[in-house]
Amino acid sequence: MASDGPAIASGEWYPPGSGRSIIASLAERGGRLIVRDESGGELAGSMLPSIEISSRVGRVARRITFPDGSTFETAENDAIDRFLAGKGRVREGIVHRLERFHPRLIAFVAATILLGVLIYRFALPLMVEVAVAFTPPVVPRIMSASTLETMDRTLLGDPKLDEARRGRIVEGFRRVAALSGRGEAGYTLNFREGGPLGPNAFALPDGTLILTDELVDLAGEDTEMIVGVLAHEIGHVEHEHSLRQIYRAAGLTALIMLVAGDIGSGAEDVLVQGGGLLALSYSRSAEAEADRHSVELMLKAGLDPGALGRFFQLLETKLDDRSETSILSTHPGTPERRKAIADWIGKARKRLE
């Protein structure tokens, strides 16, 4: 084929409507663009204006589609670009131009980071509040039932607390719960052996509260201290902190996926399931709000509002928890919380005088 020009690029040819490929090369013959097989026979050909050539996108193989529906694919993008440039047809795609390094990419990355920060700082909290406002009551009940079932199966054990001690705690709990916004009927107190969780108390979104035997043992005979802790957990439910944490975690996952794209099912599971665990942990402002709620409930119930402060003092002495607030901490420091509780008690008593 003396009239054949040199091969422009090598690749594979696909007949119309077929997934079977043939090793082939692309060449120009008599003003026509043709595909020829290894023996030099013509497989497809047409004048350049009637041929569709895909734009370049990184290293993605180029597709050259002929009028009869057959296609030629090649990874030799530079060769195709040189051919098209010689014909006065520059087909470098906008996506390919954008992905090539250029100083303006620095500004683009900076703008992306700034947008992510603005969404996290302003849009995400607003979306969380909207989601909380429109959440039907059945959703927190389903979340809570599922969480408690999982924890009972994996972490918690049957309680071993004696009935007399449990009765005194339940009596004090009912006393403060009755004065809460939901009323006594809005809460259910569950006793559990804490296992790896140790001395702990936490609240689920629907008003289910869990108190571990280990925390009761830590408090000794100070029942008011336990009631103060439970009043604190009631504060978390009243202010819907758990629900906000769940929605915030879900929104943060969506934000990461928006910026990073497909992060893989494993990473997605870690983010989503980790968000569920965040429902049992709160921000500094949420903890402070629940502390203040405990003080107010205890005062209304005629109980010692400083009971929660004694609990933090107990943590300092028995568990050596003397943590201070830092920019990296999620909870206020224990000494700081005791001081804040004392200040709230003083202000509350002045209002009552």
Side-chain angles (χ1 to χ4, degrees):
M1 300 292 177
S3 60
D4 287 1
I8 298 169
S10 59
E12 295 180 318
W13 178 75
Y14 294 85
S18 173
R20 178 179 59 87
S21 66
I22 298 174
I23 301 299
S25 60
L26 187 69
E28 189 175 15
R29 175 193 296 170
R32 298 169 66 243
L33 197 61
I34 66 166
V35 178
R36 60 192 182 191
D37 59 21
E38 292 179 300
S39 65
E42 183 175 318
L43 299 173
S46 184
M47 300 301 290
L48 185 59
S50 63
I51 296 173
E52 181 181 342
I53 302 176
S54 64
S55 299
R56 180 168 185 171
V57 180
R59 297 183 179 180
V60 176
R62 300 289 273 279
R63 292 176 60 88
I64 299 171
T65 305
F66 290 85
D68 64 357
S70 66
T71 60
F72 175 78
E73 286 193 3
T74 178
E76 297 177 9
N77 285 297
D78 292 339
I80 299 297
D81 287 342
R82 285 193 297 269
F83 170 76
L84 291 175
K87 299 296 182 180
R89 293 179 57 179
V90 180
R91 294 299 302 273
E92 185 182 77
I94 185 171
V95 175
H96 178 66
R97 293 198 302 272
L98 287 174
E99 75 170 7
R100 284 163 46 188
F101 179 77
H102 191 280
R104 64 172 172 264
L105 284 179
I106 298 174
F108 180 77
V109 170
T112 301
I113 294 173
L114 177 61
L115 178 62
V117 170
L118 291 175
I119 291 175
Y120 178 80
R121 181 67 181 84
F122 299 105
L124 184 57
L126 178 61
M127 289 187 290
V128 167
E129 294 305 314
V130 171
V132 169
F134 285 93
T135 298
V138 68
V139 173
R141 288 200 295 270
I142 293 173
M143 287 179 176
S144 301
S146 175
T147 301
L148 184 57
E149 180 185 356
T150 300
M151 297 186 75
D152 278 340
R153 189 171 60 250
T154 59
L155 297 172
L156 304 175
D158 294 331
K160 300 177 179 61
L161 197 64
D162 67 86
E163 290 297 328
R165 186 84 169 100
R166 184 186 301 191
R168 290 194 296 272
I169 294 172
V170 169
E171 181 183 353
F173 167 72
R174 287 175 175 170
R175 191 169 167 181
V176 294
L179 297 169
S180 68
R182 291 172 170 237
E184 184 182 338
Y187 294 93
T188 303
L189 178 59
N190 298 270
F191 293 88
R192 294 288 191 275
E193 192 274 322
L197 295 180
N200 218 320
F202 49 90
L204 299 177
D206 71 336
T208 297
L209 273 61
I210 294 91
L211 176 66
T212 68
D213 291 351
E214 291 84 348
L215 191 145
V216 177
D217 292 338
L218 182 67
E221 295 301 317
D222 193 341
T223 301
E224 278 196 341
M225 183 188 295
I226 299 297
V227 175
V229 172
L230 294 175
H232 168 93
E233 297 302 328
I234 287 175
H236 282 311
V237 179
E238 294 280 292
H239 295 284
E240 298 179 308
H241 292 153
S242 294
L243 206 54
R244 283 183 169 83
Q245 284 292 87
I246 291 171
Y247 285 136
R248 189 174 184 84
L252 183 58
T253 300
L255 178 60
I256 292 173
M257 294 177 69
L258 175 67
V259 174
D262 185 1
I263 57 177
S265 59
E268 186 177 343
D269 286 345
V270 169
L271 288 171
V272 174
Q273 294 174 15
L277 294 176
L278 281 176
L280 304 179
S281 178
Y282 307 100
S283 66
R284 296 184 207 170
S285 60
E287 290 293 342
E289 195 170 32
D291 287 348
R292 185 164 56 250
H293 199 90
S294 172
V295 169
E296 292 170 355
L297 277 182
M298 295 292 278
L299 276 170
K300 289 179 182 178
L303 300 172
D304 182 5
L308 186 62
R310 291 203 306 276
F311 173 70
F312 293 131
Q313 179 68 56
L314 186 66
L315 294 182
E316 291 183 43
T317 56
K318 285 196 174 183
L319 301 184
D320 198 28
D321 180 3
R322 303 175 188 277
S323 57
E324 299 288 343
T325 300
S326 73
I327 195 170
L328 298 178
S329 61
T330 58
H331 284 46
T334 304
E336 181 182 325
R337 293 174 79 173
R338 285 198 297 108
K339 182 179 182 302
I341 288 170
D343 290 342
W344 290 326
I345 293 172
K347 291 175 182 177
R349 284 177 172 162
K350 284 182 179 179
R351 289 197 304 267
L352 295 175
E353 290 177 356

